[in-house]
Amino acid sequence: MKRIAAFFDIDGTIYREGLITEVFKKMVNHEIVSPKRWEDEVAPAFHAWDHRHGDYDNYLSKMVGVFKESTVGIPHEHIDHIARLVIQQKGDRVYQFTRKEIERHQKEGHLVIAISGSPDALVREMADKYHFDDYRGTIYHYDDNGIYTGEITPMWDSESKKRALLSLIEEYDIDLEESYSYGDTNGDVTMFEYTGHPYAINPTRELLSSILQDEELKKRIRVIVERKDVIYNIDINHLDLWEPIG
């Protein structure tokens, strides 16, 4: 008998911000990343996004680039240790809606699987904390001695998530029409397209635009917005996207 699964993105979908941001802060504190690199290369993109003048993807790209370069030549145990600390200290900062959905799927006997663009060490720790059945994250490869090489296998874009999804379907014999997916960015679109019950959680403008252009997806998707202690179920068919101000 085929299994029902629930596929969850993590950053911005379960966790209220980006886990890699928390890792990056600790890398600076542990002097794996120099404060000057943060100030010169990442901080301007962060402040532009934080003040709503810039793009989150640009900030993320800058941070991932420095993360990748800074880990080359160091033992993976350093990042594993930082990942454990981050989840111990920050792992409870999750959205009510997705936390309850995780619990619901587990009670109903569904497979619960994380597919996230965060480093796999972080995704593993988050998956362990919330008792997921499996996970896929961005792989930062290391050699036989456990030293990071700089090679990565990404998991933040829609094509990478599609490949992961198809692999998991085969491995667990999953019924996609009865399965669920949860995400917040355009990188999650293929998960939405393949599953019968997609949920867009606090979606980006780019993701909403993609959904509005896909008549088939519009029929199935639910758009959930959580702000403070209120959860809103948005009717995608009556959604107006206003142009950004300024």
Side-chain angles (χ1 to χ4, degrees), residues 71-80 140-150:
T71 54
V72 173
I74 69 170
H76 75 87
E77 287 92 346
H78 287 0
I79 302 302
D80 290 349
Y140 290 78
H141 295 274
Y142 48 83
D143 62 22
D144 293 340
N145 296 315
I147 306 299
Y148 282 112
T149 64

Side-chain angles (χ1 to χ4, degrees), residues 40 131 212:
D40 293 348
H131 309 294
L212 289 169

Side-chain angles (χ1 to χ4, degrees), residues 13-204:
T13 301
I14 299 175
Y15 189 68
R16 298 208 305 263
E17 296 177 18
L19 283 173
I20 194 172
T21 301
E22 303 300 333
V23 169
F24 203 88
K25 291 175 184 176
K26 288 196 179 300
M27 288 174 71
V28 172
N29 291 339
H30 287 244
E31 299 183 349
I32 296 173
V33 175
S34 72
K36 183 170 175 52
R37 290 206 72 177
W38 161 260
E39 292 167 7
D40 293 348
E41 300 179 42
V42 182
F46 168 74
H47 292 306
W49 166 71
D50 191 45
H51 296 156
R52 297 301 186 264
H53 294 301
D55 185 85
Y56 178 76
D57 286 341
N58 181 52
Y59 160 52
L60 181 63
S61 175
K62 296 283 187 185
M63 190 163 46
V64 168
V66 175
F67 179 90
K68 174 185 171 182
E69 292 175 17
S70 300
T71 54
V72 173
I74 69 170
H76 75 87
E77 287 92 346
H78 287 0
I79 302 302
D80 290 349
H81 174 65
I82 289 174
R84 282 192 295 273
L85 288 178
V86 166
I87 301 306
Q88 287 170 9
Q89 296 170 6
K90 302 288 187 176
D92 292 324
R93 298 188 73 248
V94 297
Y95 287 112
Q96 299 179 65
F97 180 81
T98 41
R99 183 181 65 236
K100 290 176 181 176
E101 286 294 281
I102 290 167
E103 293 169 354
R104 176 175 73 86
H105 288 299
Q106 289 169 334
K107 287 177 182 176
E108 294 180 8
H110 299 165
L111 290 166
V112 181
I113 300 171
I115 304 181
S116 170
S118 277
D120 53 347
L122 267 174
V123 180
R124 180 184 64 243
E125 295 297 327
M126 196 69 166
D128 285 348
K129 179 177 177 64
Y130 288 96
H131 309 294
F132 278 34
D133 295 287
D134 207 339
Y135 69 91
R136 297 292 186 273
T138 295
I139 301 172
Y140 290 78
H141 295 274
Y142 48 83
D143 62 22
D144 293 340
N145 296 315
I147 306 299
Y148 282 112
T149 64
E151 180 186 358
I152 66 171
T153 301
M155 193 55 66
W156 53 71
D157 61 285
S158 60
E159 281 303 309
S160 297
K161 292 194 174 188
K162 176 182 175 180
R163 287 192 295 271
L165 188 70
L166 294 176
S167 173
L168 289 160
I169 292 163
E170 185 175 345
E171 181 176 350
Y172 290 102
D173 193 23
I174 293 170
D175 183 343
L176 280 179
E177 288 188 7
E178 295 298 325
S179 291
Y180 299 74
S181 58
Y182 301 80
D184 69 315
T185 69
N186 229 34
D188 301 309
V189 164
T190 49
M191 294 202 304
F192 295 159
E193 291 172 344
Y194 274 82
T195 52
H197 306 284
Y199 286 75
I201 311 298
N202 297 322
T204 62

